[in-house]
Amino acid sequence: MSDLISQKVNMIFKSTKGETVHALKDITFTLKKGELLTVLGPSGCGKTTLLNIAAGFLRPTSGTITLGNNEIDGPGVERGMVFQQGALFEWLTVNENVNFGLRMKKEDPAKTAKKVEEWLDIVGLKGFGNTPTYQLSGGMQQRVALARCLINDPDLILMDEPLGALDALTREKMQSLVLKIWKETGKTIILITHSVEEALLLGERVYVMAPRPGRIHKEYKLPFASLGLKGDLREIKNNKEFVSKREEILTMIWNMEEEIMGKEI
Amino acid sequence: MITGFITFFTIFAVVGAILYGRRLVKTEKSDAVFGNPERAKGGIHWVVVGSSFLLLSWLYYSWDIAKSFYPKSANELCQVAKVNESLLSLKYLFPIVERQHKSTAIIKRENTNIENKIILIKNDSNLKSQDKEIFIDILSSTKLMIPSLTDERYLEDETQNIINQLTARLNKLTENFPKDTYPKLNEEEKYEINEGLKKQLGWGATGMEVPPIPESTRGLKFHAAAAELNSISDEFFEMRNHNPEYLRKSELIFSEIKEYMDGLDDGLELDYIKDIKKLVRRIEYASIFPPKTLDELERAIRSFDKVQKKEQGNLKTIDIFLFPAGTIVASGPQCSEAGPGRWLPKPSDTFRIFGEMLKPSVGYKMIPMLWYEMMGVNRIVGFILPDWIADIMPGKYPVHNQSGTVDPNFKSKILDIVTGEFEAFKIPVPTGHIWDSFLRVFLGLMLGIILGVPLGLFMGLNRFAKGFFDPLVELYRPVPPLAWAPLVITVFGIDNVGKVFLLFMVSFSIMIISARAGASGTQLSKIHAAHSLGASRWQIIREVIFPNSLPEILTGIRVAVGMCWGTLVAAEFLAGTTGIGFVENVARKYMQYEVIWITIFVMGMLGLIFDLTIRKIIDKTIPWRGKG
Ligand SMILES: Nc1ncnc2c1ncn2[C@@H]1O[C@H](COP(=O)(O)OP(=O)(O)O)[C@@H](O)[C@H]1O
Ligand SMILES: [Mg+2]
């Protein structure tokens, strides 16, 4: 079983001035294979830090995080990452970007070319293979980033506000795409967002995090993601239950932010 | 001819472009307010005006317009200058160019000198009062000597006669000068001028600076008048107003001085008496005359001057308008350009000389500017392959045998190849000053890039490399490259190796810094992405950090090219036997202003070509720059 298990993960940053930031405190959770988790929370509550630890870019101060039976102690191909701003290699074309992981593994170029084509088809970029990435729109760039990550067939996909920089319309389309990919590939996904709506729409499970120290404040198990697979996303947004959940979480985050403001004043 | 055409053409261009510009203003859209960059767009016609203006200024201030429209003007002005020169010392006698008569000025000056000297002597505590008395006595009699020169009663008839004679000669010249028949030359003089004219070249750097022998009838007039004036002037200054009264007084003074100096040792007294003697001699040789004696002569000079100015005719206008900021001056029989015409070469000459220099058979100092020579492939192979390749081959070099011959073996055959000692076909290889300069910059730059970029990337990624190499690079980098030149030349020689090394030093540090900045400026998310996609360290450097640093590296190359180019020219100035800088240095020694300007132009063009090429490369290789 390749579950993601986090046990009492703590992350304490020490700045050069000697101040310490308790970015994560006792993060404990288990994510089963094939689950889609969305993480929500006010800015600075440690979402990115959590993701970076899962990706292996950061080593936690204490606690362990394991994928399957292996403790995570560095970046690896089995954990793919999608960043807010594509982090695409702008000197490469779309094809070359998507192909990057396979090329690093020195796979046969004839075989990889076919794979790349398939993935471009899935993310809806057929025919853009030879376009330089700097000529693509923001939404298209995120599609390339998705394909580049997925072609490596990772067990776990980590997304850090992948749709944050997109306009509303593109965003909606991309949300459908994420759901579609989740369903078709059955991957385990952690998706960070600062949009409550997005978290509710996409998340099978939703964590709301609280800051200072960063911790999991509340957990929800929601049906909307499975609904979204079948129906229209816009319909779900008007669903009564959806609206009340959204209001509840918004109020929660609003209170958290007020608390922070109060503390600071 | 061509210059004249170009002059008219540029004037037309300027007028046309200005008119076009004015019309454009009238029809311009009015929606672009002041400050909107839209308003600065276009304006090729102003480029035409600007360049034409530059060309016109060059033509004008180098006196090329004068040369083109009045090719004989320099020669004629030379003759006028000869007249002015021979008149000059005579004119100085009178308030014509100066304020006072020369006699007046001298008397005033020497009287003050004597008075000052007396005061000095009186106040000098190191002098004995006995000496003081003698000195003051001599000085007082010297002062009393002047009236014997200025009193008309003492003026000798002989002196008066010479003055009258010279005045008469001058008046005769004034009378004859405007006549068509002037000058009347004898056969010998005619022959001499004709022979000289046969050898005389044209005006300008491709001929003579200014041809001195008169080529026109007007010029001949001035030339002859100058000769006559010279003779009058010489005769006048040979004459001395030494009348018996003056001679008596001066002999007395000199004998007094001599008496005092006899048996005098070195010391303060000797200095004083020598000074006093100098003062007396100055008065002896000065042209001091009674106040009215030279009046007739002055009148004669003034009237001749008026006549000669009138005879110059349009030459005067040409001089004023077409020889800006200077004119032709004479010194003896020679003439030269004084002013911008001297150091600003005429475009016509410059282009002709440039054309000559470009001819491979001419070049500069026996070396063409840019040409090719046929070189055997064997020499190139021998140059590229290092000789030790033969040494590490198995076996031994052959030893001569009993019959006194040497049989080549495998090892010796390899040696022949790496030293280039074999027969091969020839291929054309570029040579010349421009090529040499270019090659030096290119090699220095390439070495700097090949070594500097990897080291710079390494320093951007690795704490050890940064710490270890930083002091080295940072210590040598701020020193101006030319400050290293003496050392580098001592170690590596004045030839190519030294210069290439110097340029390597320049480009190396620039490349290190730009590659380092590129490496440490890589976005973290890109590196994270590459890690997650399974790239190894080496792959991350090659596939992510290097391409990501390319914009910085290429900008660094662009800077390095400029720096190398500047350093090279200066280095070639210091030493060497080829290259653009060398050409300029030689031209500087021989004051070949045309060649100096040509080298400046060539350097500018080459620098521009370098920069344009790199800009092209930048646009081609990093089209994503600024769009990532
Ligand atoms: N490298 C670091 N050094 C020090 N503090 C850090 C570092 N990275 C993050 N932090 C701090 O940790 C907290 C959580 O940051 P982050 O995970 O980026 O928040 P989020 O992604 O939820 O907005 C913030 O207060 C931030 O200032
Ligand atoms: Mg974040």
Side-chain angles (χ1 to χ4, degrees):
Chain A
M1 285 302 285
S2 49
D3 298 349
L4 181 72
I5 302 169
S6 168
Q7 276 176 323
K8 290 211 156 209
V9 166
N10 274 279
M11 188 74 210
I12 299 170
F13 289 114
K14 278 201 181 72
S15 74
T16 42
K17 282 182 199 158
E19 294 165 33
T20 57
V21 179
H22 207 149
L24 293 176
K25 187 175 182 223
D26 293 338
I27 303 290
T28 302
F29 66 89
T30 302
L31 195 61
K32 291 219 177 60
K33 185 176 161 58
E35 279 184 319
L36 202 171
L37 168 72
T38 53
V39 181
L40 198 58
S43 164
C45 69
K47 304 183 296 286
T48 300
T49 308
L50 179 63
L51 215 63
N52 279 343
I53 289 173
F57 303 142
L58 287 175
R59 214 60 66 75
T61 316
S62 69
T64 56
I65 185 159
T66 56
L67 181 64
N69 294 322
N70 308 317
E71 187 171 339
I72 292 169
D73 65 346
V77 263
E78 73 281 4
R79 282 158 284 129
M81 185 104 183
V82 178
F83 299 86
Q84 177 173 18
Q85 302 264 305
L88 296 179
F89 307 127
E90 60 261 33
W91 49 93
L92 302 178
T93 61
V94 169
N95 271 339
E96 289 163 338
N97 260 287
V98 175
N99 192 29
F100 191 86
L102 301 181
R103 190 155 62 86
M104 294 302 103
K105 278 191 264 176
K106 301 207 164 72
E107 284 192 11
D108 178 15
K111 269 188 227 158
T112 61
K114 230 182 125 220
K115 255 187 175 172
V116 169
E117 214 168 293
E118 281 170 21
W119 272 107
L120 285 187
D121 198 12
I122 294 174
V123 298
L125 281 180
K126 208 171 179 184
F128 285 94
N130 291 322
T131 317
T133 52
Y134 62 87
Q135 288 177 1
L136 297 178
S137 68
M140 286 159 120
Q141 290 190 0
Q142 287 309 78
R143 285 167 197 263
V144 176
L146 262 177
R148 182 177 73 173
C149 165
L150 288 161
I151 202 169
N152 265 1
D153 196 23
D155 298 331
L156 174 65
I157 300 171
L158 305 164
M159 303 196 205
D160 191 356
E161 306 194 13
L163 313 181
L166 304 181
D167 63 279
L169 220 67
T170 318
R171 199 164 177 158
E172 238 168 63
K173 281 186 198 154
M174 291 295 290
Q175 286 165 348
S176 304
L177 178 66
V178 170
L179 280 180
K180 182 183 126 191
I181 286 170
W182 176 54
K183 182 193 156 197
E184 284 179 6
T185 59
K187 300 275 177 210
T188 319
I189 297 177
I190 302 181
L191 187 145
I192 288 175
T193 173
H194 54 241
S195 150
V196 178
E197 209 163 68
E198 185 169 282
L200 295 179
L201 272 179
L202 301 182
E204 211 182 3
R205 291 166 61 185
V206 176
Y207 285 165
V208 180
M209 287 182 69
R212 305 188 175 200
R215 62 200 183 271
I216 298 172
H217 183 69
K218 193 147 177 150
E219 180 181 350
Y220 294 90
K221 277 203 159 58
L222 297 171
F224 305 118
S226 5
L227 281 179
L229 283 172
K230 288 168 218 149
D232 185 7
L233 288 183
R234 219 163 293 172
E235 252 169 55
I236 300 169
K237 284 187 198 171
N238 295 326
N239 183 316
K240 256 198 187 143
E241 206 185 332
F242 184 92
V243 174
S244 72
K245 273 277 169 335
R246 190 179 66 191
E247 292 311 308
E248 180 189 330
I249 296 176
L250 269 176
T251 319
M252 189 188 304
I253 292 180
W254 188 244
N255 287 341
M256 273 185 223
E257 303 239 353
E258 280 218 319
E259 204 179 305
I260 301 171
M261 300 276 273
K263 263 188 201 169
E264 273 170 7
I265 295 162
Chain B
M1 226 298 279
I2 295 173
T3 317
F5 175 74
I6 291 174
T7 311
F8 276 125
F9 182 77
T10 44
I11 291 172
F12 277 135
V14 167
V15 172
I18 289 176
L19 288 179
Y20 173 74
R22 292 192 67 80
R23 218 188 59 195
L24 207 65
V25 169
K26 276 185 203 138
T27 59
E28 207 167 45
K29 282 183 292 173
S30 52
D31 53 356
V33 293
F34 176 78
N36 184 340
E38 276 297 314
R39 279 174 60 134
K41 278 191 182 155
I44 289 293
H45 54 289
W46 291 122
V47 175
V48 173
V49 174
S51 342
S52 302
F53 198 73
L54 207 66
L55 187 62
L56 266 183
S57 307
W58 184 16
L59 285 164
Y60 183 59
Y61 279 99
S62 64
W63 303 348
D64 209 7
I65 291 180
K67 185 183 163 189
S68 140
F69 287 97
Y70 301 99
K72 297 273 173 249
S73 57
N75 179 262
E76 290 193 328
L77 279 174
C78 168
Q79 314 311 322
V80 173
K82 285 180 191 169
V83 166
N84 284 332
E85 200 214 8
S86 32
L87 263 180
L88 205 60
S89 34
L90 284 176
K91 275 182 171 176
Y92 272 136
L93 291 173
F94 309 107
I96 297 175
V97 275
E98 297 287 308
R99 286 203 187 83
Q100 314 171 305
H101 285 269
K102 197 176 176 193
S103 301
T104 317
I106 293 172
I107 290 167
K108 232 163 130 184
R109 194 183 67 208
E110 297 306 337
N111 275 336
T112 345
N113 279 344
I114 290 170
E115 243 119 73
N116 286 344
K117 193 116 265 171
I118 289 174
I119 293 168
L120 198 75
I121 290 166
K122 275 185 180 159
N123 290 341
D124 194 335
S125 53
N126 292 328
L127 279 178
K128 282 184 271 180
S129 57
Q130 186 189 342
D131 290 324
K132 281 186 184 177
E133 247 167 61
I134 297 174
F135 289 157
I136 291 171
D137 186 45
I138 295 174
L139 284 170
S140 309
S141 9
T142 307
K143 205 175 168 188
L144 287 176
M145 198 168 84
I146 294 174
S148 59
L149 289 168
T150 53
D151 194 328
E152 226 162 302
R153 281 177 303 166
Y154 298 127
L155 190 68
E156 281 180 303
D157 288 347
E158 197 189 329
T159 314
Q160 184 68 61
N161 271 343
I162 296 176
I163 293 172
N164 289 345
Q165 229 175 334
L166 293 176
T167 311
R169 269 173 77 183
L170 250 176
N171 283 334
K172 184 105 186 292
L173 178 63
T174 314
E175 190 188 318
N176 285 336
F177 190 65
K179 285 182 189 155
D180 289 338
T181 48
Y182 185 82
K184 286 201 180 74
L185 298 179
N186 58 32
E187 285 308 311
E188 198 185 330
E189 285 168 327
K190 271 183 198 159
Y191 177 79
E192 198 182 319
I193 285 180
N194 279 335
E195 282 305 297
L197 280 178
K198 274 180 204 159
K199 281 182 222 136
Q200 181 149 286
L201 303 173
W203 170 28
T206 46
M208 316 171 99
E209 185 168 339
V210 177
I213 300 168
E215 287 166 358
S216 62
T217 40
R218 179 159 62 179
L220 190 62
K221 258 185 181 184
F222 278 88
H223 174 78
E228 169 72 354
L229 285 167
N230 266 334
S231 125
I232 292 173
S233 171
D234 287 351
E235 224 163 289
F236 178 85
F237 285 104
E238 254 167 43
M239 170 186 73
R240 304 247 171 271
N241 182 16
H242 292 173
N243 52 58
E245 175 64 14
Y246 164 80
L247 285 174
R248 193 178 60 77
K249 283 184 182 167
S250 88
E251 256 162 43
L252 224 71
I253 292 170
F254 278 122
S255 67
E256 231 178 300
I257 292 173
K258 194 164 184 292
E259 195 180 314
Y260 179 80
M261 277 173 82
D262 267 347
L264 196 66
D265 285 332
D266 274 3
L268 190 64
E269 289 77 18
L270 191 68
D271 291 344
Y272 266 110
I273 196 68
K274 273 185 176 166
D275 257 12
I276 292 168
K277 195 175 169 186
K278 246 184 240 161
L279 209 156
V280 183
R281 280 252 182 267
R282 260 207 319 267
I283 294 173
E284 185 183 5
Y285 291 122
S287 306
I288 300 177
F289 291 92
K292 297 244 182 288
T293 312
L294 297 180
D295 280 5
E296 280 303 314
L297 186 66
E298 182 183 350
R299 218 159 291 142
I301 289 170
R302 281 181 189 274
S303 55
F304 174 77
D305 207 28
K306 217 178 275 166
V307 168
Q308 70 97 358
K309 272 190 185 132
K310 205 172 143 222
E311 281 303 300
Q312 284 182 27
N314 67 340
L315 213 50
K316 197 100 205 98
T317 331
I318 292 173
D319 188 12
I320 290 169
F321 287 106
L322 295 185
F323 288 77
T327 187
I328 306 284
V329 294
S331 118
Q334 296 302 324
C335 289
S336 58
E337 296 168 324
R342 183 173 179 75
W343 54 264
L344 189 65
K346 294 167 186 50
S348 54
D349 291 340
T350 312
F351 287 119
R352 199 167 305 146
I353 290 176
F354 193 27
E356 279 293 304
M357 280 166 75
L358 283 180
K359 279 186 201 158
S361 54
V362 182
Y364 195 77
K365 295 280 142 190
M366 321 291 286
I367 296 169
M369 294 303 281
L370 186 60
W371 197 234
Y372 69 90
E373 64 181 12
M374 299 306 286
M375 193 189 263
V377 173
N378 52 335
R379 275 181 60 197
I380 300 169
V381 169
F383 178 75
I384 293 172
L385 294 179
D387 294 357
W388 49 258
I389 290 181
D391 299 338
I392 60 169
M393 286 295 146
K396 283 200 166 96
Y397 288 115
V399 179
H400 65 279
N401 53 28
Q402 299 245 358
S403 52
T405 55
V406 183
D407 295 326
N409 64 6
F410 172 69
K411 204 169 156 95
S412 73
K413 277 177 190 160
I414 295 286
L415 185 69
D416 284 347
I417 290 174
V418 295
T419 52
E421 279 165 33
F422 59 95
E423 289 291 313
F425 59 93
K426 293 184 168 184
I427 53 166
V429 176
T431 59
H433 292 295
I434 293 178
W435 173 255
D436 281 4
S437 287
F438 166 78
L439 199 65
R440 285 168 193 151
V441 169
F442 185 75
L443 288 179
L445 198 67
M446 274 300 147
L447 275 175
I449 294 170
I450 289 169
L451 296 175
V453 169
L455 186 61
L457 290 178
F458 195 37
M459 283 170 77
L461 301 172
N462 184 294
R463 196 184 304 136
F464 158 76
K466 192 177 81 188
F468 189 87
F469 293 107
D470 219 25
L472 187 80
V473 175
E474 287 304 320
L475 273 179
Y476 99 77
R477 189 179 65 92
V479 180
L482 276 185
W484 287 108
L487 278 181
V488 171
I489 284 174
T490 312
V491 179
F492 294 99
I494 63 164
D495 241 15
N496 288 329
V497 182
K499 285 182 192 115
V500 170
F501 187 81
L502 198 66
L503 299 186
F504 161 71
M505 285 173 70
V506 174
S507 58
F508 186 59
S509 61
I510 297 176
M511 291 327 296
I512 284 181
I513 284 166
S514 51
R516 191 168 90 175
S520 47
T522 317
Q523 269 172 293
L524 195 58
S525 61
K526 275 183 197 140
I527 296 188
H528 278 168
H531 272 293
S532 288
L533 293 169
S536 66
R537 280 176 176 219
W538 170 237
Q539 281 172 328
I540 285 177
I541 293 178
R542 209 185 50 196
E543 305 283 346
V544 180
I545 291 172
F546 175 68
N548 195 72
S549 318
L550 259 183
E552 305 259 1
I553 291 173
L554 287 171
T555 314
I557 291 177
R558 210 175 142 193
V559 175
V561 166
M563 288 286 291
C564 282
W565 190 229
T567 310
L568 173 81
V569 170
E572 284 174 344
F573 229 89
L574 284 183
T577 52
T578 60
I580 292 293
F582 161 78
V583 172
E584 182 173 356
N585 195 24
V586 175
R588 176 184 66 84
K589 276 185 203 146
Y590 297 110
M591 292 200 277
Q592 293 165 322
Y593 292 99
E594 284 78 12
V595 179
I596 292 176
W597 282 85
I598 287 169
T599 54
I600 289 172
F601 175 75
V602 168
M603 284 173 212
M605 284 320 277
L606 282 179
L608 188 68
I609 289 171
F610 265 125
D611 202 58
L612 283 180
T613 314
I614 290 173
R615 244 148 66 185
K616 262 255 142 55
I617 293 174
I618 289 178
D619 288 349
K620 271 257 155 61
T621 45
I622 44 170
W624 70 84
R625 188 170 65 144
K627 295 167 186 158

